[in-house]
Amino acid sequence: MMNLKGKCVTITGASGGIGKEIAEKAAARGARVVLLARSIDKLEAIKMELNAKYGNSALAYQLDVSDSDKIQSVFEEIFAAVGKIDILVNNAGFGLFSHAHEAELQVTKAMFEVNVLGLIACTQMVLPSMIARKSGHIINIASQAGKIATPKSSIYSATKFAVLGYSNSLRMELSEHNVFVTTVNPGPIETNFFNIADEQGTYVKSIKRFMLKPGYVAERVVDVMMTSKREINLPGWMSLGSLFYTLFPRAVETLGRKAFFKK
Ligand code: NJP
């Protein structure tokens, strides 16, 4: 089990879902965690819980990752408080399932601002110091939706394809500086994500038995911290699906049609 003693792990979207679980598991392995999200009350409660349990001086800051000015000032505060960030987990994100012709431009912009531009802006905050120290790890939570785009996910998939494209280039660039980049591509996870994404609950009902537990996803993420793991695909069999899709897209779209139209 990777010991994270002395490491600072900063996590966006840490007020719930897998971000909260990643924070808990990283703290349990000795890391000092920095929690970021909009819901400061939730973050403060998590911070107190973690500090009581592990005593690693967790910190919490309110941050909407779509607010680029705030990103700058919050990261300045973090650096002043902790000195260095060893691992950045870009986890904040949301989705909203709708047909492409019904997708509102305002929601589309908001999704790109959080899932893509927010992730890029937070990454840019840590890159100079990681490159200078020749050490660091950026973990980007993408999605299987960034590998195979299915109906009613056009916008969400576009954001996650963008995350994967950005991360793939970044990984190659940073390999020269000993800084690691990992992408995480989960299938559906039991979190509040679907309260927004699937308001009617119909998709969740039809896939409930396949859903991943957030604690399991978080454990897999924390396991690879400060390693050169390229990507994590969960569940494992889904990566076979995306491999076949790359090779035989038309066949996979035909054979998988029933499953792809479940939303
Ligand atoms: O979702 P949820 P997950 N600025 O809703 C925060 C990806 N993923 O844990 O700001 C800053 O429980 C929000 O905090 P708050 C997904 O795309 C999921 O499942 O206080 N933070 C909360 O802490 C996302 O990238 C599934 O509201 C913002 C967190 O983000 C990541 O996993 C499948 C924010 C969301 O927690 C975590 O999602 C998949 C903002 N503007 C990928 N907006 C899945 N669940 O099935 C939101 O493939 N947050």
Side-chain angles (χ1 to χ4, degrees):
M1 201 192 257
M2 178 67 74
N3 186 343
L4 296 171
K5 208 163 176 49
K7 302 288 180 214
C8 172
V9 180
T10 297
I11 305 152
T12 68
S15 63
I18 57 175
K20 179 183 170 202
E21 295 283 339
I22 291 169
E24 155 92 41
K25 290 181 192 306
R29 295 191 196 191
R32 182 174 196 188
V33 294
V34 180
L35 313 163
L36 307 174
R38 293 167 303 177
S39 314
I40 190 67
D41 294 355
K42 289 185 191 168
L43 293 185
E44 289 293 343
I46 297 165
K47 180 182 95 175
M48 300 235 288
E49 194 187 315
L50 295 184
N51 285 341
K53 249 174 149 172
Y54 306 109
N56 300 344
S57 321
L59 295 170
Y61 298 89
Q62 186 169 41
L63 178 65
D64 180 338
V65 297
S66 65
D67 181 344
S68 47
D69 293 338
K70 193 81 198 290
I71 289 178
Q72 172 97 31
S73 63
V74 166
F75 273 82
E76 279 168 11
E77 276 188 70
I78 299 171
F79 280 119
V82 299
K84 66 179 170 79
I85 294 173
D86 297 284
I87 300 152
L88 171 67
V89 184
N90 282 308
N91 166 72
F94 78 99
L96 181 63
F97 301 149
S98 68
H99 289 114
H101 70 276
E102 288 164 341
E104 288 175 25
L105 197 55
Q106 214 182 342
V107 177
T108 303
K109 281 184 182 166
M111 222 186 286
F112 270 90
E113 272 169 8
V114 175
N115 297 6
V116 184
L117 298 175
L119 174 146
I120 292 172
C122 290
T123 303
Q124 285 180 337
M125 292 297 121
V126 300
L127 285 182
S129 58
M130 285 185 177
I131 289 171
R133 284 187 290 114
K134 291 217 166 291
S135 172
H137 193 171
I138 291 156
I139 301 179
N140 290 335
I141 308 297
S143 177
Q144 284 296 323
K147 297 256 173 175
I148 303 182
T150 54
K152 292 179 86 173
S153 283
S154 55
I155 310 302
Y156 181 64
S157 281
T159 68
K160 295 300 185 178
F161 269 75
V163 168
L164 291 181
Y166 174 71
S167 306
N168 289 343
S169 170
L170 190 68
R171 184 184 298 108
M172 282 200 260
E173 287 182 15
L174 295 182
S175 64
E176 311 225 307
H177 303 284
N178 196 40
V179 176
F180 306 132
V181 177
T182 301
T183 46
V184 182
N185 305 308
I189 315 164
E190 277 178 29
T191 67
N192 289 337
F193 175 86
F194 292 100
N195 295 354
I196 298 175
D198 177 40
E199 259 184 321
Q200 315 297 324
T202 41
Y203 179 59
V204 168
K205 215 181 266 173
S206 67
I207 50 127
K208 191 135 193 79
R209 68 204 149 106
F210 300 114
M211 288 177 97
L212 297 159
K213 300 280 179 212
Y216 168 71
V217 177
E219 192 77 40
R220 295 291 308 274
V221 171
V222 175
D223 274 344
V224 306
M225 284 182 176
M226 296 312 281
T227 74
S228 60
K229 181 81 177 168
R230 190 177 195 284
E231 56 182 88
I232 298 173
N233 293 292
L234 296 170
W237 59 265
M238 275 200 179
S239 59
L240 270 184
S242 55
L243 177 66
F244 279 121
Y245 183 69
T246 307
L247 296 170
F248 313 108
R250 193 189 290 262
V252 172
E253 281 168 10
T254 309
L255 294 170
R257 193 173 171 81
K258 202 166 157 219
F260 293 153
F261 272 86
K262 274 193 191 293
K263 278 191 224 85

